[in-house]
Amino acid sequence: MRGLRLYEGVLPAISAPAMSTDVGDAKQDRIHARSRFRSLDRPDRYALYSMHDRDFSFQDNGRGSPVGLAPGDHTLMVVREFRRVPLHASTLALTICIARAGSAASVVATLAHFVERAVSVYQPTYLLLAHSLEQPRIAALLTGLHQCVALQAGRSAAFSLDALMPELRPMLSIEPEVFGYCSDSDLNALAPQVAPDAV
């Protein structure tokens, strides 16, 4: 199961309880990946992505649901996923798109077509397109890239939705929100490094 929590506030340490979880030894091994992101436009807004066992329960609902009941919690339903093995990403990015009423399927289809082309054009190390089970109008695009490889290929942008925006924009209720990977080193103003348990 994949979960996404969108929230505002203080930057929490990734090792602290995340998404209201008990991350003791008994449950930590049931979280297979966890990545924290910070909005590029709103520095006080964050997203926490996790992949965990189906029966992993969150404390804030106590009923074994894979995602808590707090506002901003989402169970992600995978539409497309691509992973190179082994995963060697130097950067991760998350883009959230919110469709207009009645346009959710069109937004997901447009992004799915983009993902299929992006696999060959950008050769990402990881690419996930998913939509929220609770709010299907929300689509998430998670990308993992190796920046050095992209630069060696002579691309001016490692991964860009710019060419897609004229087609996508009329179907969205707001502009896509872009998040960059946020590690604990960001607290010390160091260059972020992708953690081993990310994606």
Side-chain angles (χ1 to χ4, degrees):
M1 295 295 295
R2 290 166 171 83
L4 181 68
R5 172 168 281 182
L6 301 171
Y7 62 100
E8 296 178 8
V10 179
L11 177 67
I14 196 77
S15 58
M19 294 178 75
S20 302
T21 63
D22 174 4
V23 292
D25 292 339
K27 291 191 175 186
Q28 183 66 26
D29 60 355
R30 295 167 66 189
I31 301 173
H32 303 292
R34 182 171 27 204
S35 301
R36 182 182 50 217
F37 298 88
R38 175 182 267 169
S39 174
L40 299 184
D41 293 328
R42 296 172 52 192
D44 64 334
R45 185 159 159 80
Y46 300 94
L48 183 64
Y49 166 82
S50 69
M51 184 170 63
H52 46 79
D53 289 348
R54 180 175 292 276
D55 61 348
F56 185 85
S57 62
F58 291 93
Q59 291 177 356
D60 56 359
N61 67 9
R63 291 191 291 268
S65 172
V67 174
L69 297 178
D73 281 2
H74 302 277
T75 304
L76 294 180
M77 307 303 293
V78 176
V79 177
R80 296 278 191 274
E81 184 173 27
F82 172 81
R83 177 192 297 266
R84 290 187 186 275
V85 179
L87 174 65
H88 293 298
S90 60
T91 186
L92 299 174
L94 173 68
T95 303
I96 303 293
C97 296
I98 302 176
R100 292 181 187 273
S103 297
S106 298
V107 167
V108 169
T110 301
L111 288 171
H113 184 63
F114 170 79
V115 164
E116 291 172 2
R117 290 181 317 218
V119 168
S120 60
V121 173
Y122 297 106
Q123 298 181 5
T125 57
Y126 184 76
L127 191 54
L128 170 72
L129 171 62
H131 67 87
S132 169
L133 176 66
E134 292 78 14
Q135 297 181 42
R137 291 174 50 199
I138 296 178
L141 182 63
L142 179 59
T143 58
L145 294 162
H146 198 289
Q147 290 178 320
C148 293
V149 173
L151 290 173
Q152 289 171 357
R155 297 187 189 99
S156 58
F159 197 96
S160 175
L161 293 176
D162 291 345
L164 183 66
M165 287 313 297
E167 179 183 356
L168 192 60
R169 189 171 282 119
M171 296 182 277
L172 300 178
S173 62
I174 59 172
E175 285 292 309
E177 186 172 12
V178 180
F179 294 78
Y181 181 73
C182 184
S183 69
D184 288 332
S185 64
D186 290 343
L187 295 172
N188 301 318
L190 299 174
Q193 298 295 316
V194 175
D197 64 346
V199 180

